[in-house]
Amino acid sequence: MRYKLLQEGDIQVCVIRHTRTFLSKAVGTSVSLPMHEPFVRPSRGNNKHFFPFSFVFLQPTGYMENSISYSAIEDVQLLSWENAPKYCLQLTIPGGTVLLQAANSYLRDQWFHSLQWKKKIYKYKKVLSNPSRWEVVLKEIRTLVDMALTSPLQDDSIHQAPLEIVSKLLSENNNLTTQDHESIIVAIAPLLENNHPPPDLCEFFCKHCRERPRSMVVIEVFTPVVQRILKHNMDFGKCPRLRLFTQEYILSLNELNAGMEVVKKFIHSMHGPTGQCPHPRVLPNLVAVCLAAIYSCYEEFINSRDNSPSLKEIRNGCQQQCDRKPNLPLRLLHTSPDLVSQEATLTESRLKPVIVTSNEIHVEVERNNTANQKMTASVGNDSEPNLIDCLMVSPTCSTMSIELSAQADRILGCYVEILKMLSDYDDWRPALASLLQPIPFPKEALAHEKFTKELKYVIQRFAEDPRQEVHSCLLSVRAGKDGWFQLYSPGGVACDDDGELFASMVHILMGSCYKTKKFLLSLAENKLGPCMLLALRGNQTMVEILCLMLEYNIIDNNDTQLQIISTLESTDVGKRMYEQLCERQRELKELQRKGGPTRLTLPSKSTDADLARLLSSGSFGNLENLSLAFTNVTSACAEHLIKLPSLKQLNLWSTQFGDAGLRLLSEHLTMLQVLNLCETPVTDAGLLALSSMKSLCSLNMNSTKLSADTYEDLKAKLPNLKEVDVRYTEAW
């Protein structure tokens, strides 16, 4: 039978025959026996039975003058002789005995095992606090572990208390041999199967991983411990030493002969053999360990730049000689003798590279007039600069070449490789993309060519994933901040190719839920040059982008439009797409010419091709009401619907029109007043886009996958909405 370990206040009433005694504190350094009300005064007639023990008799009110410490309890026994009081415990103390009576046998046994446990723990603390011979200490540790494993008490402290005792023992004795280390680790291993090691014990484990990474203890004992940490830990911020131990354990695996193959097998064991990892905490914990390890690689370098300018100072141009004490933007913790001479000649060689050397880090800083001009042009802007501007403009980072120590380089390679492994799992990729979206790396890492080159694999995996929740994380978290898209685009500090990754990111993002027009405007403002260059080299994605810019009138400047047209006509694929664009424009002008019907209804079972054929047959500039109800049209027909300038009412009842079509309509048909989406496969992802259609007066979402939250959001953002049908939806 299992019992709960007594906590403070668990024992409330104990009876000694007819005289009541009370125990309020059974856990701690002592046991106190106070009086509790109500108290029933015993009658004299029932006080005829006496026992051969020294009893503690209390008055109707008051407490014992002194508590009974656990160290004073010499023995705890269950009363079992004939005619003994029911459910009593006998506590033997110096000078007498105390009887405790419980309400039932289960409660009595709970008290008995709890008091025994506390008494033994006190004894082991005393014995192990003053170790004489380590053979005896090791034997006592094994006995302590066996006692914890066989105890009928069921409480976290039953296993934690021995671990804390051993942890304190190890922290106070630093002269142990390696063999002693391993013997102690093996002895306490059974307790670690279901318990996290205490902080001091984590320090001990970290030391062993660093000193003996090839020890079998690392594989046989530490592996299940680390697996449990990764599966169950909720916050490394509250227990950072658990993270540090996990980090050192993975590095010790990397030191084995098979190296990263062993690490790969460990990561696979954490994910599991199925396509879905059953442990939701594994990925966030692994990413936290990777981020901390990567940061540690640059930590000394970051600390050595304690006098470097802040981001705002960089933007405001405060990196001038009069504003900052050293001309050299780096002040290392360990200076070399040549540093003084370098500083003395710095003013004479401003255009030359300057090499700053420490015992572990080499930094090459090149100053150039271009960077200074950019920095000067930004004076007066008080806003905090974004990351890319900082890396491109800062003299300390613009052309920085960072060389890490051999150890830091191994750590960096190991943990970037782990990020690559994590990105290969389909079920982990969405969460990984979300965790990395804010770019949680120091700017020194982003300026390090080796790091960004290795991390490029992870970004490519995001760009290749068709799921919107994955590739949307390539963009910044919010407006005004930079994302991986900006970092790896041409001109970004991480771009090391001719724009192939940039083109693939643009291709996948154009098909996502992001507004096409808004995305094209952003490209036209910030990346028009790279787009034209890639189009000039025959990249089909960039050719499509330039054609869309012309089609949607994104470019206002005539000279820029002519330059784009010249770029398109310089390649075969561009020439073909531009001719198709011109043909569509002629058809569009014909379609939008005034005239034609004001109302139009397509026959049932009509398709997208039928609609396209009908609209290309004449002018529909006056068409205000279009019904496609009960037809077979899909989201593909949205490309034709957005060309109807006067359309105010659209009926899509019982069609296959979906979210992609809704997003396109919301960008172009801003004057639409009536929209019927009854029995269509639209979801919240598409319905949320309708919030930009401020002219909507009537909206039918009957029998769709509308949620209550989306419905409330639409009501708040559509002020003119008067008629709404949400029957047979979650919002009904």
Side-chain angles (χ1 to χ4, degrees), residues 551-552 584-585 587-588 591-593 615 620-621 637-647 665 668-669:
E551 186 173 2
Y552 292 163
R584 289 198 305 271
Q585 293 289 66
E587 293 175 357
L588 177 63
L591 174 69
Q592 294 181 343
R593 194 174 58 186
L615 293 180
F620 291 90
C637 74
E639 296 181 1
H640 305 289
L641 298 179
I642 61 176
K643 299 173 183 178
L644 301 172
S646 303
L647 192 62
L665 294 184
H668 297 272
L669 298 182

Side-chain angles (χ1 to χ4, degrees), residues 591 600-603 609-620 626:
L591 174 69
L600 181 63
T601 301
L602 254 68
D610 296 329
L611 176 63
R613 226 174 351 255
L614 177 64
L615 293 180
S616 63
S617 63
S619 301
F620 291 90
L626 175 61

Side-chain angles (χ1 to χ4, degrees), residues 554-608:
I554 301 297
I555 307 298
D556 296 328
N557 188 280
N558 291 332
D559 292 336
T560 306
Q561 289 180 354
L562 293 175
Q563 187 177 354
I564 291 176
I565 294 172
S566 300
T567 302
L568 292 173
E569 291 180 336
S570 62
T571 62
D572 292 338
V573 61
K575 186 181 297 183
R576 185 176 67 255
M577 289 189 177
Y578 180 63
E579 290 175 355
Q580 294 173 356
L581 170 62
C582 293
E583 183 64 26
R584 289 198 305 271
Q585 293 289 66
R586 283 192 290 270
E587 293 175 357
L588 177 63
K589 289 180 181 178
E590 179 64 26
L591 174 69
Q592 294 181 343
R593 194 174 58 186
K594 291 298 181 182
T598 59
R599 300 175 63 89
L600 181 63
T601 301
L602 254 68
S604 62
K605 298 185 179 181
S606 297
T607 64
D608 296 327

Side-chain angles (χ1 to χ4, degrees), residues 387-388 430 432-440 458-459 462-463 465 467-489 501-523 526-527:
L387 178 62
I388 306 302
L432 178 63
S434 178
L435 291 170
L436 297 185
Q437 186 180 13
I439 312 185
V458 179
I459 307 305
F462 295 163
D465 198 300
R467 291 171 291 183
Q468 183 268 333
E469 58 183 329
V470 177
H471 59 249
S472 64
C473 292
L474 294 170
L475 298 176
S476 58
V477 178
R478 59 183 182 274
K481 296 294 181 181
D482 293 305
W484 295 112
F485 178 77
Q486 288 82 8
L487 204 65
Y488 280 90
S489 61
L501 178 57
F502 171 69
S504 63
M505 289 192 291
V506 170
H507 177 74
I508 197 72
L509 289 170
M510 281 295 293
S512 72
C513 69
Y514 286 90
K515 295 183 178 180
T516 305
K517 263 183 129 176
K518 185 177 180 181
F519 187 62
L520 289 174
L521 280 169
S522 175
L523 287 178
N526 303 304
K527 300 296 177 184

Side-chain angles (χ1 to χ4, degrees), residues 23 108 176 181 252 361 369 592:
L23 183 65
R108 177 202 61 191
L176 298 179
H181 283 184
S252 66
I361 299 171
N369 291 330
Q592 294 181 343

